[in-house]
Amino acid sequence: MRKKVLFVASECTPFVKTGGLADVVGSLPQALSKNGKMEVRVILPLHQKIIADWQDQLNGVASVYVQVGWRKQEARLYQLTHQGIHYYFIGNDYYFARNTIYGYYDDGERYIFFCQAVIEALSVLDFHPDILHAHDWQAGLAVAFAKISNRVNNMKTVFTIHNIKYQGIMPKDAFQDLFNLSSEHISGLEWNGLLNCMKSGIFHADKITTVSPTYAEEIKTPYYGEGLYPMLAARQDDVIGIINGINLDEYNPTTDPHLSSNYTYSGINKKKNKELIQRKLGLSVDPEKPVYAMITRLVEQKGLHLVNAIIDEFLHEDIQFVVLGAGNYEFEHFLYHAAERNKHKLAVYLGFDEALARQIYAASDFFVMPSLFEPCGLAQLIALQYKTVPIVRETGGLKDTVTPFDETNGSGNGFSFSNYNAHELLHILKYSLDIYHTPDKWSSLLENVNKSNFSWNDSAHEYTNLYLSLDKNERLCRP
Ligand code: GLC
């Protein structure tokens, strides 16, 4: 009998995406279903964008009612099948018929409703999960409600932390306003006197995973643990780091339809992509010129303060730099002005465009990711897939996927630096340029990049083992 797993999440490709969470929820179920031991389905809120793009394929299944404080809210259930995976959606126009998926004053209430609706839905769906696997704070309360409601006999729970920075924190009044819980349950949902959705997931889940082994260690410390480290340290035996993979069929420079020149290895065809991007973005056209790239949300996490501090100095070198992304005004502003000062050397595209992103991955020689913290990071994996050398800070998944190039024995698939310090970044950028100009070293580095492979296979295997171990693993007491 295949184990049945229900993923609970707020976003998932190809339906809605704001970040890497959507990529993981969109690609891991396929990888898990491949080995025949698991059947994975996914439940999501029915966001406005999903109604707009997928209306024709959505089938109504049932309706359930959810008590949100004094209000009874209807949750309409829909389903569709896409590429062999079964998706369920929780529809409620009041909460989810909005232009964006986060960013509202009542986000907390919206996801409390969602999590309660997921648990209600379990009694009417034709799918009875053995394991409920919730992702990030938006789904944390589904784990808590599953445990508290006791309605779902023997169902095990897994909670995955994709980013501990965002915890879904609400004032304590929410307990009176939005829940009908007896007081004994409050402490499991509360942290420092506030309602904390991420803590609720961590507290109640049978197992807690996060998206890289290094991040699993980091979040147990005050620097990275965002206030929740004592909780994680208390449950350390149940906290597991499993590195994310990427869908290699989707991110494949040999077949990527967004590229005008497909390629398998770094070489002449990759350089054609460089010329194209140089022309498109107003850089001087020269396929030999080293191109450094960043494709990122423009937020503090991504190390933009470091880039701001050194970009002008690095641009004194004979290089080009390309940035694609959108985010905080502070960073958009500095990048815009840096590009004005460094015409034909620095190209900045403020916004997101999937086709352009793929063309930049393909065009560049180096991919820069100096993150302050990085639970896993998917962009460095995509870069490796496009034969582009990553330059990263040694944190979280960046540390687990990029091994620094070692000149003495030719090992390593990128460059890395340790401290969150702009001069360490500048130093490693300049060093990478030296290697670029030393042909034998550059070609051994590219050979290692060509061999890097971050498909989902190994990680799906680890999740499978984790799911299978849950049966044996009765958790008798909670911290
Ligand atoms: C979050 C993290 C990122 C990770 C992604 C998917 O966006 O910031 O590092 O790769 O989730 O797990």
Side-chain angles (χ1 to χ4, degrees):
M1 264 274 278
R2 289 198 296 169
K3 280 247 173 258
K4 298 194 181 82
V5 184
L6 182 66
F7 272 29
V8 185
S10 55
E11 53 181 280
C12 170
T13 57
F15 306 107
V16 270
K17 167 172 167 172
T18 68
L21 168 65
D23 289 303
V24 173
V25 178
S27 53
L28 179 55
Q30 308 246 4
L32 283 166
S33 303
K34 259 191 213 153
N35 66 14
K37 290 188 188 150
M38 300 288 147
E39 177 179 3
V40 185
R41 299 189 177 187
V42 182
I43 190 160
L44 304 161
L46 185 63
H47 297 292
Q48 181 62 46
K49 187 170 182 328
I50 307 178
I51 304 176
D53 297 348
W54 296 81
Q55 201 158 32
D56 299 350
Q57 295 177 50
L58 287 167
N59 295 309
V61 187
S63 268
V64 291
Y65 285 88
V66 174
Q67 194 77 39
V68 185
W70 55 268
R71 268 168 295 157
K72 210 173 201 154
Q73 295 281 7
E74 186 186 17
R76 280 168 285 107
L77 301 179
Y78 296 85
Q79 64 178 16
L80 66 78
T81 306
H82 176 70
Q83 296 185 344
I85 302 292
H86 211 92
Y87 296 90
Y88 298 105
F89 300 91
I90 303 276
N92 176 298
D93 289 348
Y94 172 68
Y95 288 125
F96 300 125
R98 304 190 189 184
N99 290 339
T100 55
I101 70 176
Y102 316 118
Y104 299 95
Y105 76 96
D106 60 347
D107 276 357
E109 178 175 340
R110 296 168 72 217
Y111 288 99
I112 289 172
F113 165 77
F114 171 62
C115 291
Q116 283 189 297
V118 168
I119 302 305
E120 292 298 329
L122 290 174
S123 43
V124 296
L125 295 182
D126 54 350
F127 182 70
H128 305 290
D130 301 299
I131 295 148
L132 180 135
H133 185 162
H135 296 263
D136 259 356
W137 78 261
Q138 295 88 352
L141 288 171
V143 173
F145 296 146
K147 288 283 161 169
I148 292 169
S149 74
N150 251 342
R151 260 185 305 161
V152 207
N153 285 337
N154 296 326
M155 187 175 71
K156 304 290 182 196
T157 52
V158 175
F159 180 60
T160 295
I161 301 168
H162 292 262
N163 193 339
I164 204 165
K165 176 112 185 141
Y166 306 101
Q167 298 178 2
I169 296 174
M170 282 163 264
K172 214 175 167 184
D173 304 346
F175 288 113
Q176 275 91 52
D177 298 345
L178 306 173
F179 294 94
N180 301 309
L181 285 176
S182 60
S183 54
E184 82 219 62
H185 296 306
I186 306 280
S187 67
L189 312 187
E190 187 186 47
W191 191 246
N192 290 335
L194 300 165
L195 165 63
N196 186 315
C197 298
M198 181 157 277
K199 181 256 158 120
S200 310
I202 297 171
F203 179 83
H204 282 283
D206 293 307
K207 290 282 175 192
I208 300 131
T209 75
T210 186
V211 288
S212 68
T214 294
Y215 195 59
E217 292 309 313
E218 287 175 342
I219 56 179
K220 291 175 202 152
T221 67
Y223 186 81
Y224 292 99
E226 297 289 337
L228 284 178
Y229 62 93
M231 268 303 294
L232 290 154
R235 296 213 54 196
Q236 60 179 329
D237 293 341
D238 294 318
V239 180
I240 300 155
I242 303 178
I243 198 82
N244 288 331
I246 52 171
N247 180 341
L248 298 188
D249 295 330
E250 198 192 320
Y251 294 108
N252 185 346
T254 315
T255 53
D256 191 332
H258 300 298
L259 308 186
S260 56
S261 176
N262 288 106
Y263 58 95
T264 307
Y265 298 108
S266 21
I268 184 87
N269 279 352
K270 182 165 163 62
K271 289 216 168 115
K272 287 189 190 154
N273 290 284
K274 188 191 281 189
E275 287 185 58
L276 195 88
I277 275 295
Q278 288 173 325
R279 226 167 254 124
K280 203 165 179 173
L281 299 180
L283 298 166
S284 33
V285 178
D286 176 354
E288 297 314 318
K289 200 140 282 186
V291 172
Y292 290 72
M294 291 183 79
I295 298 173
T296 179
R297 282 181 295 123
L298 300 176
V299 294
E300 190 189 14
Q301 176 191 342
K302 301 297 177 180
L304 291 149
H305 285 127
L306 302 190
V307 178
N308 189 4
I310 53 97
I311 189 82
D312 286 303
E313 189 173 343
F314 187 46
L315 285 166
H316 286 145
E317 304 290 335
D318 195 14
I319 57 129
Q320 294 177 344
F321 211 112
V322 177
V323 184
L324 170 89
N328 294 355
Y329 174 76
E330 174 194 358
F331 301 124
E332 293 196 350
H333 183 262
F334 104 70
L335 285 167
Y336 176 85
H337 287 285
E340 287 287 296
R341 287 194 300 277
N342 296 286
K343 286 213 163 70
H344 313 299
K345 290 192 93 175
L346 169 62
V348 173
Y349 181 96
L350 296 176
F352 193 76
D353 177 325
E354 185 65 35
L356 186 59
R358 301 294 185 95
Q359 290 157 11
I360 295 172
Y361 280 117
S364 318
D365 301 290
F366 297 98
F367 193 83
V368 184
M369 250 177 123
S371 303
L372 175 60
F373 64 93
E374 196 61 75
C376 177
L378 300 175
Q380 84 279 16
L381 306 182
I382 302 171
L384 283 164
Q385 201 53 28
Y386 283 70
K387 319 303 172 197
T388 302
V389 178
I391 301 177
V392 304
R393 182 169 165 255
E394 290 153 15
T395 181
L398 297 175
K399 188 170 178 186
D400 294 335
T401 54
V402 177
T403 328
F405 180 63
D406 182 340
E407 285 185 56
T408 59
N409 60 15
S411 67
N413 62 358
F415 296 94
S416 65
F417 65 103
S418 161
N419 296 303
Y420 194 70
N421 173 304
H423 282 97
E424 282 195 28
L425 170 62
L426 182 62
H427 179 263
I428 200 77
L429 288 170
K430 288 188 174 175
Y431 175 63
S432 71
L433 193 55
D434 289 344
I435 299 294
Y436 181 86
H437 289 301
T438 317
D440 56 327
K441 291 182 182 154
W442 181 241
S443 61
S444 21
L445 173 56
L446 289 183
E447 247 171 64
N448 302 339
V449 167
N450 278 328
K451 280 188 240 146
S452 298
N453 176 320
F454 288 96
S455 80
W456 269 113
N457 291 350
D458 292 348
S459 307
H461 193 69
E462 283 188 58
Y463 278 109
T464 303
N465 287 342
L466 170 71
Y467 295 148
L468 296 175
S469 75
L470 286 172
D471 281 342
K472 299 175 213 129
N473 214 316
E474 278 311 326
R475 192 160 147 240
L476 297 174
C477 57
R478 301 198 172 101

